[in-house]
Amino acid sequence: MGRNRLTNAKEPPVDAVDRLLLAELQGDARLSFNELSRRVNLSPPAVAERVRRLEGDGVITGYHAHLAPAKAGAAVMALVTVECYGVRCLLRDPEVANWPEVLQLHRVTGGACCALLVGVPDMAAFERLTDRLGGYGQPTSSMILSSPVPWRPLSP
């Protein structure tokens, strides 16, 4: 009888070969299946099948280019928390996902209900954004001065 990866609690979500593939793809998502196959010592069709399975299982959720915020028009970066609850909660407004300034939106625990990573071209734009967020609740911001660890690959 076949094993279901989602319901068998004893089976890990990824095996050692999957972890090697994920590490390589996080280092360079533009690697070809041929190059990946050389790096993990599998055939290209086997690599393609594993990558498709990891995508289908939701382990790989996308492929992205990492940009330098200031060079891409977001010279001002900040973390903003918002204390908002009830009908005017920021998390209840689906349009927020389309705001170009909002790079990430997280539902969090603690005094605020959500935390945002935002990027804007200048302080005037940041002021307009905080005014807009004020319509949902009390925003509190922390400016990002530098990012010694801007991104790090996960180790599943």
Side-chain angles (χ1 to χ4, degrees):
M1 185 177 233
R3 297 191 330 165
N4 183 330
R5 292 179 76 77
L6 297 176
T7 58
N8 188 341
K10 293 182 182 180
E11 186 175 8
V14 295
D15 63 17
V17 175
D18 290 340
R19 283 192 280 283
L20 289 173
L21 281 170
L22 292 169
E24 292 293 342
L25 286 171
Q26 286 183 96
D28 184 355
R30 298 185 334 160
L31 291 173
S32 68
F33 288 148
N34 285 334
E35 179 59 26
L36 278 170
S37 73
R38 283 191 284 281
R39 294 185 183 196
V40 301
N41 204 24
L42 281 180
S43 70
V47 165
E49 180 181 327
R50 281 177 175 265
V51 170
R52 279 193 291 275
R53 179 182 47 77
L54 290 166
E55 291 169 344
D57 288 350
V59 177
I60 296 174
T61 60
Y63 299 89
H64 313 278
H66 292 275
L67 306 180
K71 292 183 179 186
V76 175
M77 300 287 293
L79 298 170
V80 181
T81 58
V82 182
E83 291 183 35
C84 56
Y85 301 96
V87 294
R88 285 296 301 154
C89 180
L90 186 73
L91 295 170
R92 293 177 186 243
D93 185 346
E95 288 304 310
V96 175
N98 298 320
W99 294 5
E101 308 92 344
V102 176
L103 305 177
Q104 295 180 358
L105 174 60
H106 306 277
R107 183 177 182 185
V108 298
T109 62
C113 72
C114 58
L116 303 88
L117 172 65
V118 300
V120 293
D122 52 39
M123 289 305 290
F126 183 71
E127 185 175 3
R128 286 190 300 275
L129 177 61
T130 56
D131 287 347
R132 193 172 178 191
L133 291 169
Y136 294 90
Q138 178 63 46
T140 303
S141 61
S142 297
M143 305 308 294
I144 297 174
L145 302 176
S146 67
S147 298
V149 181
W151 176 83
R152 174 178 293 161
L154 290 174
S155 298

